[in-house]
Structures are given as structure tokens and as C-alpha cells.
Amino acid sequence: MSKKAIGKIIIIVAPSGSGKSTLLTRLKSDFPMLRESVSYTTRTKRPGEEHGIHYFFVSKDEFLKMRDQNEFLEWALVHGDYKATSRAFVKSHLDRGTPLIFDLDVQGADYFKKEFKDQAKVIFIAPPSLEELEKRLRHRNTESEEAIQVRLKNANAELDRMFDYDFHIMNDDIDRAYKELSSIVTEILEN
Ligand code: ADP
């Protein structure tokens, strides 16, 4: 008899610069069954982005209306734009047994844990140290000095929460960290 399809929820939380994008790119290619949530956003569509594929693009008024009608599982104001996860989108995939993967901040992860309890597993990825994080952010060369300072301040607060979650990985060496991540994901999907 087949097991009742219950979609798993995997949430990756990591301070900016800790290697989340690098690790997620590898993970998504090795685990193509993991479906990413399509978020709602009030930011302007960038070239190449498609409504319903990359994001659901809505106006601020539409967004606030949906938020007030409790249509979002979590929402946040990020750099002046609203972003949210749709309750209906997540529910429809979970009902079909599709495993979902999310990339959230600590606040978003906390909302999910509250709503889905053990059905949601949170994996926290940490840099070896704040000094190393700063070095990687500078080396990546994608942010202004001001943005780097904001990210470092946020990272400091996020790292305090590291041990509150289901799993944590130290991204010291990228291959070692990825091995650990993929075995945690395999374990979550198999149980
Ligand atoms: P995030 O998505 O968490 O902001 P990225 O994946 O963009 O982080 O990684 C930040 C920078 O650090 C990138 O330039 C990336 O190549 C580098 N990086 C990631 N993991 C490691 C590692 N284990 N050792 C050294 N550099 C790393």
C-alpha cells in the first residue's frame, strides 16, 4: 500500500553571503522533484521574468488586500517591496504530495514552523564566522558598502537563532557543506 501523499516542506535559512545560492543551485539540480514556491511581490518585473513563473506580480493595493484577507502564509517588506508566500499555492502542492523548498529569513521560517509544525523542516546554513562572511560578501562584489553593513548586522542577529532550528550546517568548505545538505534533504524526503 502506498503511503498517503503528504508534501514535505524544506526551508533553507541563511544569512546573506553564507553560500545559500551556491548550495541551492546544486541542490535543485540534484533533487529536481523539489518544487519552489512562486512568491507574490510588489516589485517591478525585470526583463525575462514571467508572471506566475518567477513571481506573481501584483500592485501594492492588491497585495495589502490579499494580506488582510489572510491569503499569505508569511509576508515581508524587503528593501521597500512586499513579498509573500501564498497559502493556496502551498496547500495545492502539499495536497498532491509535492515536496516544496523555500528560501526564507528567520521570521518567515518561524511562521512556517508555527503553521506546519514538524511537516516543515528548517535547515540553517551558517558561515564559519562573521569575518569570513564579510570577506565573501566583499569578494562577491555585488553590494555597496552600506548594503554590506546592513547584511552583516542582520547576519549577526540571524546567527543567534541558528540552534533553534531542525538542522544546521556550517559552510566552511563548499563540497563538505553540500554533502551534508544533500544527506539531510535525502533523510527528510525518505522519512
Ligand atoms: P548567499 O546566497 O547566501 O548570499 P552566495 O552563494 O552568493 O551566498 O555566496 C557568497 C559568496 O561566497 C559567493 O561569492 C560564493 O562563491 C562564496 N562562497 C560560498 N560558499 C563558500 C565557501 N564554502 N568557501 C568560500 N567561498 C564561498
Side-chain angles (χ1 to χ4, degrees):
M1 206 172 69
S2 70
K3 256 205 229 169
K4 186 175 176 286
I6 301 177
K8 306 273 173 60
I9 300 173
I10 298 172
I11 298 163
I12 309 286
V13 181
S16 178
S18 50
K20 178 163 66 176
S21 316
T22 312
L23 289 165
L24 269 176
T25 303
R26 282 174 75 169
L27 194 71
K28 283 185 265 178
S29 125
D30 286 351
F31 294 83
M33 73 295 272
L34 292 176
R35 179 76 211 258
E36 278 185 284
S37 160
V38 180
S39 299
Y40 277 75
T41 183
T42 59
R43 80 153 164 74
T44 341
K45 203 195 279 182
R46 293 180 190 143
E49 285 183 335
E50 277 185 62
H51 183 83
I53 304 230
H54 300 94
Y55 284 98
F56 294 109
F57 295 94
V58 289
S59 69
K60 195 175 159 198
D61 281 353
E62 281 174 278
F63 186 99
L64 294 176
K65 197 168 148 214
M66 289 180 78
R67 184 193 68 178
D68 294 344
Q69 289 171 346
N70 200 25
E71 290 185 40
F72 298 138
L73 276 167
E74 58 87 36
W75 65 273
L77 187 57
V78 188
H79 309 303
D81 289 308
Y82 287 100
K83 224 181 127 177
T85 307
S86 151
R87 196 178 286 280
F89 181 96
V90 170
K91 190 174 181 313
S92 75
H93 283 86
L94 291 180
D95 287 349
R96 275 181 259 152
T98 310
L100 291 171
I101 186 151
F102 294 90
D103 162 357
L104 297 173
D105 62 10
V106 288
Q107 207 182 18
D110 292 342
Y111 277 121
F112 267 71
K113 274 307 241 192
K114 214 166 141 205
E115 176 110 7
F116 294 102
K117 312 276 183 319
D118 227 29
Q119 192 180 357
K121 301 288 187 198
V122 181
I123 307 171
F124 193 105
I125 298 168
S129 64
L130 279 175
E131 291 71 32
E132 176 63 21
L133 184 77
E134 181 168 0
K135 219 166 84 188
R136 288 183 195 170
L137 281 173
R138 291 194 188 287
H139 189 250
R140 190 171 67 181
N141 214 9
T142 50
E143 274 99 17
S144 64
E145 179 58 32
E146 199 190 345
I148 290 178
Q149 292 307 328
V150 171
R151 289 181 195 289
L152 286 173
K153 195 168 149 250
N154 291 342
N156 211 351
E158 284 171 357
L159 285 169
D160 275 348
R161 299 289 319 279
M162 176 170 173
F163 298 107
D164 294 343
Y165 296 112
D166 300 292
F167 303 94
H168 49 267
I169 297 172
M170 178 77 75
N171 178 15
D172 41 9
D173 173 85
I174 192 76
D175 290 327
R176 196 208 56 75
Y178 180 69
K179 232 189 222 167
E180 206 178 321
L181 177 63
S182 65
S183 76
I184 289 170
V185 168
T186 303
E187 183 193 318
I188 294 171
L189 293 177
E190 283 175 356
N191 285 301

